[in-house]
Amino acid sequence: NILARKDSAVMALRRKVSDALFGFEGKGLSVQMKNGKVYVSLDEQLMFKSGSHVVDANGVRALKQLVPVLEQHPDINILVEGHTDDVPFPQRGELLDNWDLSVKRATSIVRILLDKTKIDPARISASGRSQYHPVDPHKTPAARQKNRRTEIILTPKLDELLEILEMN
């Protein structure tokens, strides 16, 4: 029963996220469900200039449209993952490599999600995955473009389910 309620809540959350981001879907943003979680995938072209971790104006607008949904669901954990392609990043300034770039991008998005919002920072984690979790393993320009992305992964808190498992 609890699992069914969790699945229902995740489906409802996916619909709300899709509705909130409607104008951006297909324009560098996609929303899907995988493994009981909602994944908001943001292409590099929507969020950042190449090699930068400063979020573009369109990316900021998309993130701000997501904020009210996240504020309405305090029982959802938020993981922001930065991903890069496999082309070595030339060390410049504060950025040493693809690891740094992916972490800085995730952190930039977290800061926007928290700026003047009611989202509890304890619900959010920022993670850099560098080039090690590609969605397309090919070494083509199109594959590399797909791999340069940021994902916001929304996961329901499973406190109720864990309590029941501990009792048994």
Side-chain angles (χ1 to χ4, degrees):
N1 186 24
I2 291 172
L3 284 175
R5 285 197 336 236
K6 182 203 83 99
D7 289 345
S8 175
V10 170
M11 288 293 285
L13 177 64
R14 188 213 176 282
R15 278 192 301 279
K16 286 180 183 179
V17 168
S18 288
D19 290 348
L21 299 172
F22 176 73
F24 292 95
E25 283 202 73
K27 296 178 184 169
L29 183 146
S30 66
V31 180
Q32 58 184 269
M33 277 187 52
K34 291 189 286 192
N35 307 321
K37 301 173 186 173
V38 175
Y39 283 72
V40 179
S41 188
L42 308 154
D43 292 352
E44 178 190 52
Q45 66 198 26
L46 173 65
M47 302 304 293
F48 305 100
K49 290 187 179 8
S50 181
S52 173
H53 60 86
V54 176
V55 180
D56 287 344
N58 278 339
V60 171
R61 274 197 302 281
L63 294 169
K64 288 299 184 183
Q65 285 184 229
L66 181 58
V67 165
V69 176
L70 299 176
E71 286 178 330
Q72 293 168 11
H73 294 276
D75 56 335
I76 298 293
N77 288 318
I78 305 159
L79 172 61
V80 180
E81 286 186 344
H83 297 265
T84 65
D85 61 24
D86 62 342
V87 175
F89 185 83
Q91 180 179 355
R92 77 175 175 245
E94 64 183 350
L95 298 174
L96 302 177
D97 53 22
N98 280 333
W99 279 113
D100 277 352
L101 180 60
S102 65
V103 170
K104 287 279 193 187
R105 285 181 169 183
T107 304
S108 294
I109 288 173
V110 165
R111 292 185 196 290
I112 291 167
L113 291 175
L114 293 175
D115 184 44
K116 298 179 185 132
T117 70
K118 296 175 187 156
I119 299 171
D120 180 0
R123 295 172 45 204
I124 298 185
S125 297
S127 170
R129 307 288 265 173
S130 190
Q131 71 259 20
Y132 299 107
H133 291 269
V135 290
D136 188 335
H138 296 97
K139 306 293 183 201
T140 65
R144 287 184 169 118
Q145 183 177 359
K146 286 183 211 171
N147 293 332
R148 293 189 302 266
R149 69 197 187 284
T150 306
E151 293 181 326
I152 300 173
I153 304 166
L154 307 175
T155 309
K157 292 182 182 174
L158 301 175
D159 299 344
E160 276 183 80
L161 180 59
L162 293 174
E163 285 176 23
I164 288 173
L165 291 174
E166 286 176 3
M167 289 189 313
N168 291 328

